[in-house]
Amino acid sequence: MDRQEPEPGSGRNAAMRPACGGSSAAPLSLAALLALAACGDRMTEDMLPGGIPARTDLHVASALPPDAVRTVARRDFGWRLIYHPARAPANADQDAARALCGLERRRPGRIEQVPRIEPYADPGAAIIDIYCV
């Protein structure tokens, strides 16, 4: 059996070989870093109807415990709140209405219970519409 000699330079171990077929990985790393930085958490000047800054944390602004709140959304008429009454204090709907309408420097006009279309989607959750005046 003839013994073949290794090619010159093939004796280098894998740690010394370039990772990307001979090109440097630095430009790719820099490009990835710049792309991620462009997607960062930037402040926005967008405003919701009623003059509420879009960056406002509405779950916290609802004045309800975090585990009770499912969704807070600004609508043309006021606010829609989906929450779990069992996980919220008594009068949670009125407290949330005061807090959310207060963001607009208005007062709550009325609170309406919205019937659940899919009662099994989030068992125990209630939907209310809050009208601010």
Side-chain angles (χ1 to χ4, degrees), residues 26-27 36 54 60 65 73 82-83 89 96-98 109 131:
L36 289 174
V60 173
I82 302 174
Y83 75 108
R98 275 193 297 277
Y131 293 82

Side-chain angles (χ1 to χ4, degrees), residues 58-76:
L58 297 175
H59 283 72
V60 173
S62 71
L64 296 178
D67 63 329
V69 180
R70 287 289 180 248
T71 304
V72 181
R74 179 66 175 87
R75 301 291 177 107
D76 290 337

Side-chain angles (χ1 to χ4, degrees), residues 5-58:
E5 294 295 319
E7 292 182 26
S10 66
R12 294 187 298 178
N13 64 19
M16 296 180 67
R17 289 187 201 140
C20 297
S23 66
S24 175
L28 292 176
S29 298
L30 181 60
L33 179 64
L34 290 175
L36 289 174
C39 298
D41 186 30
R42 287 190 237 145
M43 297 300 279
T44 179
E45 298 302 319
D46 294 340
M47 300 296 274
L48 296 173
I52 312 301
R55 65 182 174 271
T56 303
D57 187 347
L58 297 175

Side-chain angles (χ1 to χ4, degrees), residues 50-114:
I52 312 301
R55 65 182 174 271
T56 303
D57 187 347
L58 297 175
H59 283 72
V60 173
S62 71
L64 296 178
D67 63 329
V69 180
R70 287 289 180 248
T71 304
V72 181
R74 179 66 175 87
R75 301 291 177 107
D76 290 337
F77 57 81
W79 297 91
R80 174 160 287 173
L81 176 64
I82 302 174
Y83 75 108
H84 280 270
R87 299 179 190 162
N91 297 324
D93 53 350
Q94 288 138 5
D95 293 342
R98 275 193 297 277
L100 293 170
C101 290
L103 290 174
E104 303 176 24
R105 292 180 173 72
R106 296 165 62 192
R107 61 183 180 80
R110 69 180 192 271
I111 301 171
E112 291 183 0
Q113 294 287 330
V114 177

